[in-house]
Amino acid sequence: MKKTITCAIILLLAVKVSGQTPIVQYNLPLDLAGNQAVDPVPDLAEIKSTASYIDLTSLITKLQGDLGAQTDNLNTNKNLQQIYTPLGVSIDNASNYPDDQKRATLKTAYETAMKIVKSNIDNSKKNISRINSNIDKITRMINDRMNIEQSQQTFRQWVSAIFAILIAIIILSFFFILFKSNSKDLASMLMGESGLQFITLFSLIISIILFGVLNILEGKELAAIISAIAGFILGKYNPSKNNIPVNGSGAGGGQAGGGQEAGGPGADQGAANAVGGV
């Protein structure tokens, strides 16, 4: 009798349990539904050349913090994509979600959430690449400021280019004037000693300046060369060449006067004879 009652109770419990309808959740998981969109990082504004070293280091610290946040976002969304991709297959199964209308709404919400996940992954990758590029840019600026030799090399390159252009302009102008001028005197002067000396001295002076800028020549050597050039130029000036000699003209005048004086008594004697004859 007891066995019969026990079997009946077990049978009733089994029928009751089997008759219950399972509860189906038509909601997305909390971490997938609450996933926030990752915005693109804006481009770094042009850094002013007057920015201090402290400002540059502070900017790098901020960018490194942003880099860490973007890396966390990337890892989080990659995990969501890996974990909840199979959920899409489960939603398509009508036996798991009997209510067609609710299942369609759930599927739409799932697809929207997964689009956000994929967009976050793409934006995070782009943001990380952009932040790393900005950090490299600022790091190069700091290194360039600390590298004094690089600044000197840049200055020397510019000075050398400018002086080379000056020499080219002078030489081209010299030959242009020489071949285009209709004056033979000007052409002979330019092709003569003065013109060639001008071109040579001008080229030498620019070369000496370049040697000084490039540290090929030191201060004492430059002073000696410049002094030699200055002495040469000043030595070419001879003021005695501009004076007209007057000794020749004075002697000739004396001789002419002497002749007149010698002829004076003869003229007087002739005049006396003419008077006596009368």
Side-chain angles (χ1 to χ4, degrees):
M1 186 66 180
K2 291 182 179 179
K3 291 182 178 179
T4 304
I5 295 173
T6 303
C7 291
I9 293 173
I10 293 174
L11 181 61
L12 290 174
L13 290 175
V15 172
K16 184 178 181 180
V17 171
S18 61
Q20 290 180 349
T21 302
I23 299 175
V24 180
Q25 297 292 335
Y26 289 89
N27 297 323
L28 292 178
L30 179 62
D31 49 1
L32 183 61
N35 187 29
Q36 299 296 323
V38 176
D39 297 327
V41 173
D43 290 330
L44 183 66
E46 187 66 24
I47 301 175
K48 297 181 179 179
S49 58
T50 57
S52 64
Y53 177 77
I54 297 177
D55 294 337
L56 295 177
T57 52
S58 300
L59 186 56
I60 286 183
T61 302
K62 179 181 179 302
L63 290 174
Q64 289 175 344
D66 295 339
L67 181 62
Q70 294 297 327
T71 303
D72 292 339
N73 290 332
L74 178 62
N75 294 332
T76 299
N77 284 277
K78 280 186 174 181
N79 291 332
L80 290 176
Q81 185 182 33
Q82 183 177 2
I83 293 173
Y84 292 107
T85 296
L87 182 61
V89 179
S90 177
I91 293 175
D92 291 334
N93 190 350
S95 60
N96 296 329
Y97 300 91
D99 192 330
D100 293 338
Q101 184 176 0
K102 290 183 179 180
R103 180 164 55 85
T105 303
L106 178 63
K107 185 176 181 180
T108 302
Y110 170 79
E111 291 176 352
T112 302
M114 293 305 292
K115 285 181 180 179
I116 294 176
V117 169
K118 293 179 180 179
S119 176
N120 288 345
I121 292 174
D122 294 337
N123 287 336
S124 296
K125 289 180 179 180
K126 293 178 181 179
N127 291 341
I128 290 173
S129 177
R130 187 170 298 168
I131 292 173
N132 285 327
S133 177
N134 292 333
I135 291 176
D136 293 339
K137 179 180 178 181
I138 299 174
T139 303
R140 286 195 301 269
M141 291 182 64
I142 295 175
N143 293 335
D144 291 341
R145 290 189 180 185
M146 297 179 65
N147 189 0
I148 301 176
E149 183 64 25
Q150 181 65 31
S151 300
Q152 292 179 351
Q153 290 293 339
T154 303
F155 171 75
R156 292 168 183 171
Q157 290 176 358
W158 278 104
V159 171
S160 301
I162 292 172
F163 282 168
I165 292 172
L166 286 176
I167 293 178
I169 290 174
I170 292 298
I171 295 176
L172 291 176
S173 300
F174 175 81
F175 286 104
F176 178 80
I177 296 173
L178 181 64
F179 288 108
K180 293 294 182 179
S181 176
N182 295 325
S183 175
K184 294 183 179 180
D185 294 337
L186 180 60
S188 61
M189 182 184 70
L190 292 177
M191 289 300 295
E193 182 179 359
S194 299
L196 296 178
Q197 285 181 355
F198 171 76
I199 294 295
T200 303
L201 289 175
F202 187 85
S203 302
L204 284 175
I205 291 173
I206 291 182
S207 300
I208 291 170
I209 295 174
L210 281 177
F211 289 156
V213 172
L214 299 176
N215 291 332
I216 297 176
L217 297 177
E218 299 296 334
K220 294 180 180 180
E221 298 170 345
L222 290 174
I225 295 174
I226 292 174
S227 299
I229 293 176
F232 173 77
I233 295 174
L234 295 176
K236 296 294 292 183
Y237 176 71
N238 187 4
S240 62
K241 293 181 179 180
N242 298 327
N243 295 334
I244 300 174
V246 297
N247 295 332
S249 61
Q255 293 175 358
Q260 290 178 357
E261 292 177 354
D268 293 339
Q269 184 66 33
N273 291 334
V275 173
V278 176

